[in-house]
Amino acid sequence: MHPLADKVLARETRATARACRLVDDRVGDYAAILKDLFPHTGRAWILGVTGNPGAGKSTLTDRLISVFRGQGRRVAVVAVDPTSPFTGGAILGDRIRMQAHFSDPDVFIRSLATRGALGGLSRSVVDVVRVLDAWGADVVLVETVGVGQDELEITRMAHTTLVVAAPGMGDEVQAIKAGILECADVFAVNKADRDGADAAVRDLELMIALGGEVAAASGRARGHSAAALHARAQGAPSPGGEPVEGPWEPVIARTVATRNEGVAALVDKLEGHRAWLFGTEAGAARREERLREAMHVQLRDALTDAAVAALGPALEAAVHAVAQRTVDPYTASEQLVAAFRSAGAIAPGAAVAPGGGT
Amino acid sequence: MHPLADKVLARETRATARACRLVDDRVGDYAAILKDLFPHTGRAWILGVTGNPGAGKSTLTDRLISVFRGQGRRVAVVAVDPTSPFTGGAILGDRIRMQAHFSDPDVFIRSLATRGALGGLSRSVVDVVRVLDAWGADVVLVETVGVGQDELEITRMAHTTLVVAAPGMGDEVQAIKAGILECADVFAVNKADRDGADAAVRDLELMIALGGEVAAASGRARGHSAAALHARAQGAPSPGGEPVEGPWEPVIARTVATRNEGVAALVDKLEGHRAWLFGTEAGAARREERLREAMHVQLRDALTDAAVAALGPALEAAVHAVAQRTVDPYTASEQLVAAFRSAGAIAPGAAVAPGGGT
């Protein structure tokens, strides 16, 4: 066991922060630490919180932390939203309000910077969440803006995804529709005391209903009773306390985070999703599907890293050949894949010329 | 030469539609067709048009088609935005208005459906754009909503990216900031006759100025004169007609697409970016950077396809082992990479230990 991994498991805050940093930057013994910690993960409930800037995500996250802490749960926050006070880009009031959490040893807050174009962010988030899971978090809140290529991947890593919307944000609902609906498990219409809250809820309800019809039309069997539908629409277990079988249908809560209104009801709906995910066959199927996706992404990243390291100059040569149009990118990438595979079999690092002899 | 590729080069509309379909679905001889067509690509100007639904992207795209057709240029449209009339999800008026383009043999319109979570869309778009480039498009317009993991990748494939915004769409500018700014070359503030247009332009100007300062602070040398800056701020070549060296700074145009106002000036700004991209060292550097990224993505996809095909049951076994936590995903993916590489060996079992060999 790596000493730093040991200290994470012993819940040492500074060591955990250091492990997060190594993992985020992919330096030092980060790989060994991740491998050592992995058997100690799987306990945390990973809760994604996403939505446009200005919807009130951070305030709501702050309220959720308070509820979870009141239940005695250890909470970690991974903030990817650059406008979030958790990432440091805070107005003074926000930081003062959150001070309580920052000094609570059972709350761990880590912000991650967004990266350049070709990702790496979702990978960092996955790994940092694993560190915090091993640290003993009961709940890991992952706050993102929900825009950008990496962020939907991050959303798909969460067990439960909360999408925060606010009334009067123009075409917000349409924008959500475009990318987020497939990932949303629970919607919070925040600032629900404002004009337009009813309209926002109606829009979301319509959207969810349409989503259901599209799913039904595309042949996915649903086969649940109206009562079950209703129970699920409430985001709560059935009267017997058991979660309801069948696919999850997103539910909506109204909140006024600044006044702490509706937050307990929101947590009930989130817990309803968690009960469904861990207590039904459909939930198990979804967890397996997500795990398969995650493994594909992990494999894809590992392959790309290994290939870029192994191919180096051959890859550069391919880029230039494609630029000159002396080779097409399809043939070039096939040749690179072949070179990567045979280099791995013969001698690591020894690039083989495409079509070359023995 | 594949017969279908031949027909695409002969500009046969039905054959081109068929080639697009094969390439999009990745069925039949799609790979052979792409390889045959690639040497005939590289002529088209790929123009990305993105922005939230409701900003007026489709109407503006329609106007741009008219301008380009008036110049005698062949135009292709690839519509990925599900709310766009080009994708068929049109209100009646839109479709009637666009009818002229649909029946013009020098305009080719192709819509692509959005996919499931783990992409494939950006790959399809890249390949379909290549088919249309080979078909003889002088301009390929790629219309997206600009939200979602695939869509930023699509944006990065374009030579020139136009971001369409409209006043009074709430936190639109903030939302754009979060993901799109790094990709935007030209902004159109559409519906510029509405209240709030001046504010939207000012917000964008501020955002661009801040972006420049951030870039300067992060050490990227700029080194251009105030005059050059001003020339670039106009999105126009310098007085001598030559594009200005140095990094591109996004420029802003005001348009009222429904009344065809400001469209010619917008096209001038877009052409200014094109002149920069193809006429300066900085532009050449950007094209090379994008090409390198594209080649990385192509290699990543080819590796993943080959590995998933080669590993099949081993990959499934890894998913289950990780689910049971009998292996960590880092070790599992390393093992899968090693298995993939040695399975590609000419002589199985000939693997040499690292550092060994003669």
Side-chain angles (χ1 to χ4, degrees):
Chain A
M1 175 78 66
H2 192 281
L4 207 52
D6 246 343
K7 287 179 181 169
V8 170
L9 295 176
R11 304 189 165 180
E12 291 184 23
T13 302
R14 283 185 54 196
T16 305
R18 186 145 172 261
C20 286
R21 208 155 42 237
L22 292 179
V23 160
D24 184 16
D25 295 340
R26 309 190 88 69
V27 294
D29 298 333
Y30 81 94
I33 294 167
L34 284 171
K35 287 178 186 179
D36 285 345
L37 291 178
F38 184 77
H40 305 275
T41 63
R43 233 176 40 82
W45 178 24
I46 304 165
L47 186 51
V49 183
T50 190
N52 283 355
K57 278 189 312 291
S58 302
T59 310
L60 201 52
T61 299
D62 184 63
R63 298 299 187 183
L64 291 173
I65 297 172
S66 296
V67 172
F68 294 134
R69 289 298 300 127
Q71 299 166 338
R73 289 157 124 170
R74 289 165 71 82
V75 179
V77 180
V78 180
V80 187
D81 176 0
T83 69
S84 165
F86 292 109
T87 58
I91 51 172
L92 191 62
D94 276 327
R95 282 199 86 80
I96 289 170
R97 191 163 36 72
M98 286 171 184
Q99 206 57 51
H101 298 316
F102 277 100
S103 59
D104 179 343
D106 288 318
V107 176
F108 190 99
I109 296 171
R110 173 88 201 164
S111 66
L112 296 177
T114 50
R115 307 296 161 80
L118 279 179
L121 178 62
S122 59
R123 201 159 31 153
S124 274
V125 173
V126 167
D127 290 339
V128 166
V129 166
R130 284 193 182 129
V131 171
L132 296 174
D133 187 341
W135 165 79
D138 297 298
V139 186
V140 181
L141 292 151
V142 182
E143 187 194 342
T144 68
V145 186
V147 199
Q149 57 189 351
D150 276 328
E151 299 205 327
L152 274 180
E153 264 183 45
I154 295 170
T155 305
R156 293 187 72 82
M157 176 207 65
H159 291 123
T160 301
T161 296
L162 168 64
V163 175
V164 185
M169 292 179 70
D171 281 323
E172 158 123 0
V173 169
Q174 277 200 62
I176 285 174
K177 209 197 237 165
I180 293 291
L181 180 56
E182 60 180 293
C183 297
D185 300 309
V186 178
F187 287 98
V189 174
N190 193 33
K191 308 185 182 180
D193 53 342
R194 286 202 189 168
D195 283 351
D198 290 342
V201 170
R202 269 197 313 275
D203 282 357
L204 287 171
E205 283 172 347
L206 180 66
M207 209 171 84
I208 293 166
L210 287 174
E213 274 180 30
V214 170
S218 72
R220 281 183 251 154
R222 320 209 97 196
H224 40 57
S225 68
L229 240 175
H230 182 73
R232 197 163 46 248
Q234 304 308 305
S238 65
E242 291 296 303
V244 179
E245 272 296 346
W248 179 258
E249 205 136 316
V251 293
I252 305 169
R254 289 168 187 251
T255 56
V256 185
T258 51
R259 294 206 307 257
N260 207 20
E261 288 173 17
V263 178
L266 170 62
V267 171
D268 285 347
K269 290 188 196 299
L270 294 169
E271 291 285 1
H273 181 264
R274 179 166 133 100
W276 171 83
L277 188 65
F278 290 95
T280 67
E281 279 177 39
R286 172 164 145 179
R287 281 184 292 131
E288 192 182 313
E289 180 200 325
R290 290 284 173 93
L291 184 67
R292 184 167 292 110
E293 277 177 17
M295 198 61 220
H296 270 84
V297 170
Q298 189 110 29
L299 175 61
R300 183 193 73 188
D301 290 342
L303 282 166
T304 309
D305 285 354
V308 168
L311 295 171
L315 182 54
E316 266 305 293
V319 168
H320 286 285
V322 171
Q324 304 300 320
R325 286 189 156 63
T326 55
V327 66
D328 69 81
Y330 313 99
T331 302
S333 56
E334 283 168 10
Q335 289 171 345
L336 288 170
V337 170
F340 173 61
R341 297 189 76 175
S342 44
I346 296 159
V352 171
T358 44
Chain B
M1 175 77 66
H2 193 282
L4 208 52
D6 246 343
K7 287 177 181 168
V8 170
L9 295 177
R11 306 189 163 179
E12 291 184 23
T13 302
R14 285 186 53 196
T16 304
R18 184 142 175 262
C20 287
R21 208 155 42 236
L22 292 179
V23 160
D24 184 16
D25 296 339
R26 309 189 89 68
V27 294
D29 298 333
Y30 81 94
I33 295 167
L34 284 170
K35 288 179 186 178
D36 285 345
L37 291 179
F38 184 77
H40 305 276
T41 63
R43 231 175 41 84
W45 179 23
I46 304 166
L47 186 52
V49 183
T50 191
N52 284 355
K57 279 190 311 293
S58 302
T59 309
L60 201 52
T61 299
D62 184 63
R63 297 299 187 185
L64 291 173
I65 297 172
S66 296
V67 172
F68 294 135
R69 289 297 299 127
Q71 299 166 338
R73 288 156 123 171
R74 288 164 72 82
V75 180
V77 180
V78 180
V80 188
D81 176 1
T83 68
S84 165
F86 292 110
T87 59
I91 51 171
L92 192 62
D94 276 328
R95 281 199 88 80
I96 289 170
R97 192 163 37 73
M98 285 173 183
Q99 206 59 51
H101 298 317
F102 277 101
S103 59
D104 179 343
D106 288 318
V107 176
F108 190 99
I109 296 171
R110 173 87 201 165
S111 66
L112 295 178
T114 49
R115 308 295 161 81
L118 277 179
L121 179 62
S122 59
R123 206 170 11 165
S124 274
V125 173
V126 168
D127 291 339
V128 166
V129 166
R130 283 191 182 131
V131 171
L132 297 176
D133 188 341
W135 164 79
D138 298 298
V139 186
V140 181
L141 292 151
V142 182
E143 187 192 343
T144 68
V145 186
V147 198
Q149 58 188 350
D150 276 330
E151 300 206 326
L152 275 180
E153 264 184 45
I154 295 170
T155 305
R156 294 187 71 81
M157 176 206 66
H159 290 123
T160 301
T161 296
L162 168 64
V163 175
V164 185
M169 292 179 69
D171 280 323
E172 157 122 3
V173 168
Q174 277 200 64
I176 285 175
K177 211 195 234 166
I180 293 292
L181 181 57
E182 60 178 294
C183 297
D185 301 308
V186 178
F187 287 98
V189 174
N190 193 34
K191 307 185 183 181
D193 52 342
R194 287 202 188 167
D195 283 349
D198 290 342
V201 170
R202 269 197 311 274
D203 283 356
L204 287 172
E205 283 172 347
L206 181 65
M207 208 172 87
I208 292 166
L210 288 174
E213 273 180 31
V214 171
S218 72
R220 280 184 251 154
R222 318 210 97 197
H224 40 57
S225 67
L229 241 176
H230 182 74
R232 196 163 49 249
Q234 305 309 306
S238 65
E242 291 297 303
V244 179
E245 272 296 346
W248 179 258
E249 205 135 316
V251 292
I252 305 170
R254 291 168 187 250
T255 56
V256 186
T258 51
R259 294 206 307 256
N260 207 21
E261 287 174 17
V263 178
L266 170 63
V267 171
D268 285 348
K269 289 188 195 300
L270 294 169
E271 292 284 0
H273 181 265
R274 179 165 133 101
W276 171 83
L277 188 66
F278 290 95
T280 67
E281 279 177 38
R286 172 162 147 183
R287 281 183 293 133
E288 191 180 315
E289 180 201 325
R290 291 285 172 94
L291 185 67
R292 183 168 293 110
E293 278 178 18
M295 197 63 219
H296 270 84
V297 170
Q298 187 112 28
L299 175 61
R300 183 193 75 189
D301 290 342
L303 282 167
T304 309
D305 285 353
V308 168
L311 296 172
L315 181 55
E316 266 307 291
V319 168
H320 287 285
V322 170
Q324 304 300 320
R325 285 188 158 61
T326 55
V327 66
D328 70 80
Y330 313 98
T331 303
S333 56
E334 284 168 10
Q335 288 170 346
L336 288 170
V337 170
F340 173 61
R341 295 188 78 174
S342 43
I346 298 153
V352 173
T358 43

